[in-house]
Structures are given as structure tokens and as C-alpha cells.
């Protein structure tokens, strides 16, 4: 059985980000997080920016993430994913953040918008 090529999968997403002029892409679907990273735990997300890959999870999964991920900067979510994303969006000076519009409920997307400041959220399907 062939080992999945996570680097290639991430590179394809980075290509799409560039094509759509996105500074970042937020992956929240558990299936897609696993597809892009190999991580099998729950309560996680990926924020992919140009040049950096952030893996967000809470303290329950930190050891599993550290043992199984390669190439990601692991961010421990202590209070909320929204606050963690707010810090990253500010630190990275993000202007256009893509997200999986079919997997992120409107209520959560609206709440997320309040935390990312001036950055524009861009809902994408079939990326």
C-alpha cells in the first residue's frame, strides 16, 4: 500500500490559494484535516499561509500531533479556536482567508469574521 503524499496534497492546496489570491486557507473539516496532515484525532484545524503551516488543536491531542505531524507549527488552543486564529491572522497580517464553505456553518463563519479583524473571509467549495 502506498503511503499518502501529504506534501503533494498541501502543495496542491497552496497552488489553489495562489490562483485565488488568498493569503491563507482554513481547514476545519475533520476529514480534510486528516487528508492533508495524516492526523487522526479530533478537535483540530489547519491554517495554511504562504510559507507556513499551522496545526491548531487543544491540549488533549498535543502529544499525538507532535508525534505524527511533519512540517506544521503546532498551536495549542487554550481558550478558543477563534482567539487562536485571531492571533495568527494578526501576526501573519492576513487579508484574504479562504475557508471550506460547505463544512463551516454560517453561525461559525459569522463569529469567525468578528475575530479576524479586517481580513476578508472567502468561502470556497470544491478546492
Amino acid at each position: 500500500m502506498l503511503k499518502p503524499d501529504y506534501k503533494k496534497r498541501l502543495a496542491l492546496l497552496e497552488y489553489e490559494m495562489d490562483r485565488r489570491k488568498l493569503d491563507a486557507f482554513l481547514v476545519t473539516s475533520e476529514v480534510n484535516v486528516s487528508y492533508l496532515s495524516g492526523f487522526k484525532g479530533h478537535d483540530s484545524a489547519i491554517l495554511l499561509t504562504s510559507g507556513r503551516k499551522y496545526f491548531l488543536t487543544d491540549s488533549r491531542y498535543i502529544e499525538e500531533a507532535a508525534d505524527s505531524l511533519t512540517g506544521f507549527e503546532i498551536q495549542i488552543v487554550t481558550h478558543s479556536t477563534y482567539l487562536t486564529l485571531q492571533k495568527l491572522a494578526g501576526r501573519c497580517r492576513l487579508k484574504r482567508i479562504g475557508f471550506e464553505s460547505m463544512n463551516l456553518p454560517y453561525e461559525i463563519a459569522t463569529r469567525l469574521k468578528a475575530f479576524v479583524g479586517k481580513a476578508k473571509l472567502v468561502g470556497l467549495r470544491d478546492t
Side-chain angles (χ1 to χ4, degrees), residues 8-106:
K8 184 175 181 180
R9 292 173 181 180
L10 288 163
L12 289 171
L13 181 53
E14 288 171 339
Y15 171 80
E16 275 301 309
M17 287 170 49
D18 188 51
R19 193 173 76 78
R20 296 171 187 247
K21 299 189 180 358
L22 298 172
D23 298 318
F25 193 83
L26 177 62
V27 181
T28 55
S29 160
E30 193 174 298
V31 170
N32 291 336
V33 167
S34 180
Y35 177 79
L36 292 170
S37 69
F39 184 76
K40 303 293 184 204
H42 303 284
D43 295 326
S44 59
I46 292 173
L47 181 67
L48 188 64
T49 69
S50 57
R52 298 185 104 151
K53 299 169 191 71
Y54 297 99
F55 188 86
L56 290 64
T57 192
D58 63 41
S59 61
R60 295 174 296 168
Y61 300 104
I62 197 68
E63 286 183 33
E64 181 181 347
D67 290 342
S68 65
L69 297 175
T70 303
F72 286 90
E73 293 180 43
I74 300 171
Q75 301 289 310
I76 300 173
V77 175
T78 54
H79 294 97
S80 80
T81 301
Y82 301 109
L83 288 173
T84 304
L85 287 169
Q86 180 182 44
K87 289 176 188 173
L88 290 172
R91 185 184 323 152
C92 298
R93 296 187 172 117
L94 302 179
K95 293 178 177 60
R96 289 178 44 90
I97 304 170
F99 70 96
E100 304 164 289
S101 64
M102 297 301 288
N103 294 309
L104 197 65
Y106 178 78

